Amino acid sequence: MSWEVVIGLEVHVQLATQSKIFSGSSTEFGAEPNTQAALIDLGMPGVLPVLNGDVVQKAIKFGLGVDAEITPKSVFARKNYFYPDLPKGYQISQFELPIVGMGHLDITLEDGTTKRIGVTRAHLEEDAGKSLHEDFHGMTGIDLNRAGTPLLEIVSEPDMRSAKEAVAYAKAIHSLIRYLDISDGNMSQGSMRCDCNVSLRQKGEEKFGTRREIKNVNSFRFVEKAINAEIEWQMDELESGRAIQQATVLYDPVKDKTFAMRSKEEANDYRYFPDPDLLPLEVTEQLIDRVRAELPELPAQKIERFVSELELSDYDARVLASDRVLANYFETVVDVSGAKAKLAANWVSVELLGALNKNDLDIDASPVSAEQLGGLLKRIADNTISGKIAKQIFEELWNNGGSADQIIEAKGLKQETDTGAIEAIVDQVIADSPDQVAQFLAADDNKRKKLIGYFVGQSMKLSKGKANPQMLNQILAQKLV
């Protein structure tokens, strides 16, 4: 049979606030367990939650970022269920009336085309605590530091048709929340995690199949692997004549398999009802206008500007605009260097990102600052150094710091641009290479283009990499003919 996969994502984003959604407790990551949970987070009798205004503004920012309707009046509800790390026995969340309504987000597919993914809603809620199993043999430890941490749950339409599309959507959400500065998006610390709803149907059918939800996937790589594992499992079940049961499942990366956690609850299982301690949240047009006025340039706008103003290719623009910190780094390099944007794009995309990947570092932990790299490219642009020498200097900057100018001066790396000196080098190489010269003279034009590489290489070696490449090629072409 020919199957079609239908995927929708629920992305939980921790909002970057100093304090929790309903209390003044700190949200700082990494504190000692149970040191950041106030009585309000625990739902103790006699205490009342107070909504954090910063949370509301960050939710509005996201809504405007996906061109969604901001609901004038939203309501917090109690979602009732029992869980060891949920001391109140209910979670405060928005249900029927979320703060952000229908919007959309465009993703770029592997073939370069764009696909629009619907955003059904985004609602505010508090996080639960965390169960700890590793250090408690036969028991479970509970850390309630996360209890009450503000979350924005972003629910997509079931518009994705492959694991790669789901990853592209998750990455687009990650990029947007970092641009908007509403979350650090740190997936290893739980600041962003995904629930993936997956179902299969026969191609051509309109009715959706029964979905299973993969809970709490915390990396882009695991989103793809978990969805593909679930697709494979569902396909085997359906082709064996068994029906899919709606369920919540977990992904085991070691076995590369999904396994059932519990049967999927319906909304009425949670017995939602409006929280009697919180008034309906009313958002005024004035507040929306104020937040809109503070919106930064968003990824799609930045890509368009990089292409139109800086004359980058669409591919380069998408790579460099994929992350706000990376885009800011690149623009600083362009400003400091005064070089063509294409040169800066090549160095940031290839040399810098290559070194960061090799050392498993993020851009904001780069040992070479944008100002340092800009200073290096400035010396390529004014012909002080060649591209080859620049790679040596980049390595020095990476390992020992300093500035390009300091390294050039200390190591005597200025490019040789004296015509007479380069001619002397070329003459020496030609005199030392009679066989190669004869081979070059006997060759046709196509072969000569390949053979001249030998003379360039030998001349560069003799000049210790300092000869100006353009001048060297010109002089070689004159001398060899």
Side-chain angles (χ1 to χ4, degrees), residues 145-255:
N145 281 356
R146 287 197 70 86
T149 299
L151 298 179
L152 186 67
E153 180 173 338
I154 304 157
V155 182
S156 81
E157 290 287 283
D159 288 343
M160 290 155 274
R161 295 293 175 268
S162 71
K164 288 193 180 299
E165 286 188 14
V167 171
Y169 171 77
K171 285 185 174 179
I173 291 282
H174 186 261
S175 175
L176 181 62
I177 61 175
R178 282 171 60 83
Y179 264 89
L180 292 169
D181 202 21
I182 61 172
S183 173
D184 62 17
N186 189 324
M187 298 180 81
S188 65
Q189 295 181 0
S191 298
M192 177 174 154
R193 54 188 192 262
C194 302
D195 297 341
C196 315
N197 288 285
V198 181
S199 66
L200 294 183
R201 64 183 175 188
Q202 287 189 40
K203 279 196 172 174
E205 278 195 1
E206 290 192 6
K207 185 181 175 184
F208 292 147
T210 303
R211 65 185 164 87
R212 301 210 313 166
E213 182 182 55
I214 312 168
K215 290 292 286 184
N216 289 334
V217 188
N218 64 353
S219 81
F220 298 126
R221 187 165 67 94
F222 286 167
V223 166
E224 182 170 354
K225 289 172 73 74
I227 289 174
N228 282 332
E230 177 63 19
I231 291 170
E232 190 175 335
W233 183 86
Q234 290 194 22
M235 199 178 294
D236 285 346
E237 290 293 294
L238 292 168
E239 294 190 346
S240 300
R242 293 186 285 272
I244 303 295
Q245 302 298 319
Q246 189 168 324
T248 299
V249 305
L250 293 176
Y251 173 66
D252 183 337
V254 176
K255 296 179 180 175

Side-chain angles (χ1 to χ4, degrees), residues 89-101:
Y90 64 86
Q91 177 186 24
I92 301 177
S93 177
Q94 294 186 319
F95 179 48
E96 290 178 315
L97 291 171
I99 186 168
V100 176

